[in-house]
């Protein structure tokens, strides 16, 4: 039976100022997915984890994404996917995007790579929509392309790959669940013009800072006037996490996606570990369980081993 095993990685969406448009892929953690070709037009989903995710294909992120692939092919084929989730659902580091992106990436290998990376992002978005209740590709695009991506437009889909310097990432994951669909409802549909001006200035400057490898410009640009002022209230001790991380030498950071994870960027591994210690110190006083990871940006995208 034709099958492939792939490892889609966690991702950080928004990158502070780029709500719904900027994102980057993390080296770790990654889910494990085995996609198998079937000789009947059907989709089957098997989970080998204890997160209680639905396995009916039409309710499962990977299942919906695989159905979107099947809708594009004429042959009488189908897919079975076995998923071992390592990226905890609701953690804010692109768990649903990894399932959707991994599913379409694996299916594409089995079909002889007939789809481009942009096609795969478009197909995976059908799955992501099941989880977040809205179309956005700021986790899926970096998961598939790797590195840092900017989704300039969804319709038509236009993904821009952004160059970046050496960056280390510290992520704290408080063991709370925030549903993206709920966190999106908190946001006001309109942004005052003054805040919008500051926001797009920062998005432009962040992209320039990344491409010029200008760490000071990156630091000056990591400010959010849209989501963080509302969503940070959902994350215990968010302001302290940020303050102590910056004091420990982080370039900047904020909520990862819709939270509750919080990420910080640093120039080197020593600083990233100091930031991790600072985060632990803040959270040790909260009584909330948490995990802290120090990792880097994954330049490759979905891994094949
Ligand atoms: N851009 C999305 C949001 C990412 O912030 O709602 C969710 O992971």
């Amino acid at each position: 039976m034709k099958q492939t095993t792939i490892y889609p990685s966690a991702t950080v969406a928004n990158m502070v100022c780029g709500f719904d448009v900027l994102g980057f892929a993390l080296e770790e953690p990654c889910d494990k997915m085995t996609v198998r070709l079937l000789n009947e037009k059907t989709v089957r989903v098997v989970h080998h984890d204890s997160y209680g995710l639905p396995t009916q294909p039409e309710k499962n992120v990977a299942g919906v994404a695989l159905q979107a692939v099947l809708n594009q092919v004429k042959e009488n084929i189908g897919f079975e996917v076995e998923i071992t989730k390592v990226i905890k659902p609701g953690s804010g580091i692109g768990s649903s995007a990894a399932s959707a992106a991994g599913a379409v990436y694996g299916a594409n290998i089995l079909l002889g790579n007939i789809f481009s990376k942009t096609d795969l992002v478009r197909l995976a978005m059908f799955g992501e929509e099941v989880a977040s209740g809205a179309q956005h590709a700021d986790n899926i695009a970096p998961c598939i392309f790797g590195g840092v991506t900017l989704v300039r437009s969804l319709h038509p889909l236009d993904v821009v790959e952004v160059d970046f310097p050496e960056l280390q990432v510290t992520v704290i994951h408080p063991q709370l669940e925030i549903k993206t669909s709920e966190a999106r409802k908190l946001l006001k549909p309109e942004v005052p013009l003054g805040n919008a001006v500051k926001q797009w200035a920062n998005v432009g400057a962040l992209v320039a800072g990344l491409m010029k490898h200008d760490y000071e410009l990156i630091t000056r640009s990591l400010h959010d006037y849209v989501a963080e002022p509302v969503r940070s209230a959902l994350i215990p001790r968010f302001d302290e996490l940020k303050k102590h991380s910056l004091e420990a030498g982080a370039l900047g950071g904020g909520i990862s996606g819709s939270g509750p994870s919080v990420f910080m960027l640093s120039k080197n591994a020593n600083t990233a570990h100091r930031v991790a210690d600072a985060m632990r110190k803040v959270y040790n006083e909260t009584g909330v369980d948490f995990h802290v990871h120090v990792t880097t940006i994954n330049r490759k995208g979905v891994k094949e081993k």
Side-chain angles (χ1 to χ4, degrees):
M1 204 186 284
K2 217 173 152 191
Q3 66 174 52
T4 184
T5 296
I6 38 96
Y7 301 85
S9 77
T11 47
V12 170
N14 301 338
M15 224 174 165
V16 183
C17 51
F19 177 73
D20 270 5
V21 299
L22 282 174
F24 63 87
L26 294 172
E27 196 55 41
E28 294 290 339
C30 297
D31 286 344
K32 180 179 178 189
M33 299 175 81
T34 298
V35 187
R36 221 164 267 130
L37 205 55
L38 304 176
N39 53 14
E40 53 176 322
K41 211 151 182 106
T42 188
V43 172
R44 278 187 230 138
V45 180
V46 180
H47 266 281
H48 298 296
D49 48 59
S50 52
Y51 294 120
L53 295 169
T55 50
Q56 301 98 303
E58 65 285 0
K59 292 191 185 156
N60 181 284
V61 166
V64 171
L66 287 173
Q67 188 58 53
V69 173
L70 275 192
N71 293 345
Q72 300 293 308
V73 295
K74 291 198 190 77
E75 295 89 336
N76 194 31
I77 54 160
F79 299 106
E80 178 176 82
V81 60
E82 283 185 43
I83 310 173
T84 308
K85 290 217 66 75
V86 177
I87 312 164
K88 196 172 174 189
S91 56
I93 49 172
S95 180
S96 53
S99 293
V104 299
Y105 191 94
N108 194 36
I109 293 175
L110 298 176
L111 294 172
N113 292 313
I114 57 173
F115 296 113
S116 69
K117 285 185 178 174
T118 304
D119 291 334
L120 293 180
V121 174
R122 192 181 298 112
L123 292 167
M125 273 168 58
F126 287 97
E128 175 76 306
E129 200 175 351
V130 176
S132 72
Q135 283 208 324
H136 60 92
D138 50 341
N139 290 104
I140 291 169
C143 190
I144 287 176
F145 280 80
V148 179
T149 57
L150 171 83
V151 181
R152 192 202 60 80
S153 153
L154 283 180
H155 306 290
L157 186 62
D158 187 359
V159 177
V160 182
E161 292 182 82
V162 178
D163 184 30
F164 57 94
E166 146 100 45
L167 285 169
Q168 298 286 324
V169 191
T170 312
V171 182
I172 180 165
H173 175 202
Q175 302 293 289
L176 312 165
E177 188 183 350
I178 295 181
K179 285 203 180 344
T180 298
S181 50
E182 296 300 318
R184 292 182 82 82
K185 286 186 199 148
L186 295 177
L187 302 178
K188 298 193 184 78
E190 283 163 7
V191 178
L193 184 60
N195 284 350
V197 171
K198 290 189 227 170
Q199 195 81 6
W200 59 57
N202 280 325
V203 175
L206 178 56
V207 171
L210 290 165
M211 296 189 73
K212 291 164 71 168
H213 297 199
D214 180 340
Y215 289 109
E216 285 170 16
L217 183 55
I218 292 171
T219 290
R220 295 203 298 282
S221 312
L222 287 169
H223 298 286
D224 179 15
Y225 296 89
V226 174
E228 184 181 297
V230 187
R231 288 177 167 176
S232 58
L234 302 175
I235 302 168
R237 310 269 177 111
F238 176 80
D239 292 340
E240 278 170 73
L241 272 181
K242 206 165 155 180
K243 177 170 174 281
H244 291 283
S245 298
L246 295 175
E247 282 170 7
L251 295 165
I255 304 171
S256 174
S258 55
S261 290
V262 172
F263 80 100
M264 287 286 152
L265 297 176
S266 298
K267 259 193 222 177
N268 55 53
N270 281 348
T271 312
H273 284 285
R274 275 205 304 276
V275 171
D277 289 341
M279 286 177 160
R280 284 188 196 102
K281 217 164 159 190
V282 173
Y283 254 66
N284 278 337
E285 296 166 3
T286 61
V288 176
D289 283 342
F290 63 93
H291 296 300
V292 179
H293 312 272
V294 175
T295 184
T296 54
I297 298 186
N298 152 15
R299 291 184 181 262
K300 176 159 189 324
V302 179
K303 297 175 195 172
E304 289 174 35
K305 59 178 175 195

